[in-house]
Amino acid sequence: MRITSEVAHSILVKLKKLVNYNINIMNSDGVIVGSTDSSRLHQIHQGALMVFDTKKAIFIYSEDEAHFTGAKPGVNLPIEIQQKIIGCIGVTGEPNDVIQFAQILKVTVEVMLQEMELFNQLQYENKLTEKWVLDFVHPTHFHASKLEADGLHYLNLNFEIKITILLIRFPDLLTSTKHQDMDEVVNSRKKKDERLHLLKTLLPSIVFASFLEDDNCIIAIPPTKNNYQTAADSIHTYFMNQGIKSKIGIGGSYNGIEGYRKSYVEACNSLKLLEKFPKTNGVAHISDWGIITLFQQVPEETLKGFYAQYLPEEVTLNEEQIHTLEVLYANALNMKVTAEELHIHRNTLLYRLDSISKKTGLDPKNFHDALLLRVLLVIKKLTFR
């Protein structure tokens, strides 16, 4: 790690609020790159050069000041990271008066620099992960061999291990790409970093995680029995308790780069279906959708053509009729339970179903017609916005 003017300045901003002494920070060339006395910036500090030569603390007393170019009376101590001297810190004053303070300051600065180095390392790793993930989720350019090689080299991914992809949507992070000022961009990035950190804390077993270029966050976890459901539920519950809405689509469990991609596509499809068929807990595994996922693969124009055969434009069901049918299907066509859940008399339910039959020519009390109506309702949600 190299001590630059930017690094020194960020340290001094924090320290000068706490102390009254003049503090200088010198880089490995003996140049003062940070000082609480701006007039001393960019000067060569002879005492710092001696620290590098001797690898020891240098004490400069008033009577010795003339022998040290660019220096004043004080204590100059080496800044050490991993047993390597990377800079020097000096405190102005008579050595006997400031030595204890200088020693405390040396340790404080070393800790701060180690924290900066760790943060920079984490940022670097996050950037590598983010770049790899963006290539991994690209809708058209999926280069399996390159992704696998890069994943092994940069992220140490073991593609023999099965993973499950969770795709989390945070609606509050969705911002317009137009007219965004720098503050909005920085604030959005900060929120994403904070949530990514929280997710990694909630799920220590995460294989990789990153935000995409929108409000979606991708997480890969190794599957164990019910692990994906437990993980998704804990994420959703945690953020809900924080007043943050989320929806989570879950893919299947596969190994290999092609399998990882398949899990991601399934998580995407599950999340899309959650938007059209909301669930109270906001979490859905691809297997939860059953035959609906099959309809999702059919071209939209084909679905619309099928829908029009039975329900042309002039035939429309109102919200009450649609809700009645949905509750009926949710209760396996059980009239008694459906009426109870709708809080209506059974005769009222029969009246509603008869009105649907007259309007559509399909009788919901008949199994085959009920099945067809169910399919038509699914198609309507999938294709009509």
Side-chain angles (χ1 to χ4, degrees):
M1 183 178 186
R2 183 173 176 81
I3 299 180
T4 63
S5 297
E6 291 78 11
V7 169
H9 176 73
S10 65
I11 291 173
L12 289 174
V13 164
K14 296 178 181 179
L15 293 180
K16 69 182 182 180
K17 296 177 181 178
L18 306 174
V19 300
N20 295 319
Y21 294 100
N22 184 44
I23 304 168
N24 300 304
I25 296 177
M26 286 69 77
N27 65 15
S28 56
D29 297 320
V31 177
I32 300 175
V33 291
S35 178
T36 52
D37 180 359
S38 59
S39 66
R40 300 190 65 186
L41 285 172
H42 313 306
Q43 297 178 13
I44 296 290
H45 194 292
Q46 192 68 36
L49 292 175
M50 289 190 65
V51 168
F52 290 116
D53 288 340
T54 63
K55 296 180 172 52
K56 295 179 180 179
I58 296 297
F59 300 88
I60 302 175
Y61 294 89
S62 296
E63 57 268 27
D64 301 322
E65 183 178 350
H67 302 295
F68 293 89
T69 303
K72 291 185 177 182
V75 175
N76 300 282
L77 302 174
I79 298 173
E80 300 171 274
I81 301 293
Q82 296 179 350
Q83 299 181 329
K84 181 180 179 181
I85 299 176
I86 64 167
C88 175
I89 184 162
V91 180
T92 303
E94 288 302 319
N96 294 337
D97 297 332
V98 300
I99 178 60
Q100 288 186 332
F101 170 71
Q103 289 172 333
I104 293 172
L105 206 59
K106 163 187 161 68
V107 174
T108 302
V109 170
E110 288 172 348
V111 169
M112 292 172 73
L113 286 170
Q114 286 173 334
E115 289 178 347
M116 286 182 186
E117 188 171 28
L118 177 60
F119 175 78
N120 290 336
Q121 180 63 28
L122 289 174
Q123 288 293 94
Y124 174 71
E125 291 174 1
N126 286 342
K127 288 292 182 185
L128 284 179
T129 302
E130 191 174 274
K131 182 183 182 306
W132 185 87
V133 167
L134 289 176
D135 290 339
F136 171 71
V137 304
H138 196 283
T140 55
H141 299 93
F142 178 73
H143 304 293
S145 58
K146 184 178 186 303
L147 281 166
E148 186 168 15
D150 288 348
L152 285 167
H153 180 71
Y154 295 113
L155 307 183
N156 296 316
L157 297 180
N158 181 356
F159 291 99
E160 293 181 4
I161 297 176
K162 285 186 175 182
I163 60 127
T164 297
I165 295 290
L166 277 62
L167 196 61
I168 309 171
R169 176 167 296 158
F170 293 105
D172 68 304
L173 294 181
L174 184 61
T175 55
S176 172
T177 55
K178 297 179 180 179
H179 311 302
Q180 270 192 292
D181 61 30
M182 186 54 65
D183 288 341
E184 288 177 323
V185 173
V186 171
N187 188 47
S188 176
R189 181 73 257 181
K190 183 179 178 182
K191 282 185 178 180
K192 289 180 178 180
D193 288 343
E194 288 173 349
R195 290 189 195 175
L196 207 54
H197 176 72
L198 282 171
L199 288 166
K200 290 178 179 178
T201 303
L202 287 170
L203 302 175
S205 62
I206 283 177
V207 177
F208 62 82
S210 177
F211 267 92
L212 306 184
E213 293 179 317
D214 50 19
D215 56 336
N216 290 339
C217 179
I218 183 174
I219 295 179
I221 59 174
T224 57
K225 186 178 181 181
N226 294 326
N227 185 55
Y228 61 80
Q229 191 65 49
T230 302
D233 287 341
S234 64
I235 291 169
H236 186 266
T237 300
Y238 176 83
F239 284 106
M240 182 176 64
N241 290 338
Q242 301 296 314
I244 299 171
K245 294 181 180 179
S246 67
K247 291 184 179 180
I248 306 175
I250 311 169
S253 302
Y254 310 101
N255 60 0
I257 188 65
E258 299 279 0
Y260 289 12
R261 173 74 170 194
K262 182 179 180 181
S263 185
Y264 164 70
V265 171
E266 290 179 348
C268 279
N269 289 336
S270 188
L271 192 56
K272 288 176 184 175
L273 289 172
L274 260 179
E275 296 292 334
K276 295 178 180 293
F277 304 90
K279 291 179 178 258
T280 53
N281 65 344
V283 176
H285 187 274
I286 190 63
S287 63
D288 294 341
W289 299 109
I291 198 171
I292 294 176
T293 58
L294 181 61
F295 293 130
Q296 205 178 25
Q297 310 308 314
V298 179
E300 187 170 304
E301 287 306 310
T302 302
L303 292 175
K304 286 184 175 180
F306 182 84
Y307 184 90
Q309 290 178 35
Y310 297 93
L311 296 178
E313 288 185 12
E314 62 271 15
V315 179
T316 58
L317 298 174
N318 59 40
E319 290 184 9
E320 180 183 78
Q321 290 170 327
I322 291 173
H323 180 61
T324 300
L325 288 174
E326 288 176 341
V327 176
L328 181 67
Y329 298 139
N331 291 301
L333 305 183
N334 187 307
M335 300 287 182
K336 180 176 182 297
V337 176
T338 299
E340 290 174 353
E341 188 169 327
L342 290 171
H343 306 292
I344 59 176
H345 193 276
R346 189 173 186 276
N347 289 340
T348 304
L349 174 60
L350 291 173
Y351 174 78
R352 286 188 188 179
L353 297 180
D354 285 340
S355 67
I356 292 171
S357 178
K358 290 176 182 177
K359 183 177 285 189
T360 64
L362 299 170
D363 184 0
K365 299 189 295 300
N366 176 283
F367 175 78
H368 295 290
D369 285 359
L371 180 60
L372 183 53
L373 276 168
R374 170 64 171 151
V375 169
L376 294 171
L377 288 182
V378 168
I379 292 174
K380 180 178 175 62
K381 286 196 174 184
L382 285 175
T383 61
F384 295 91
R385 294 159 180 82

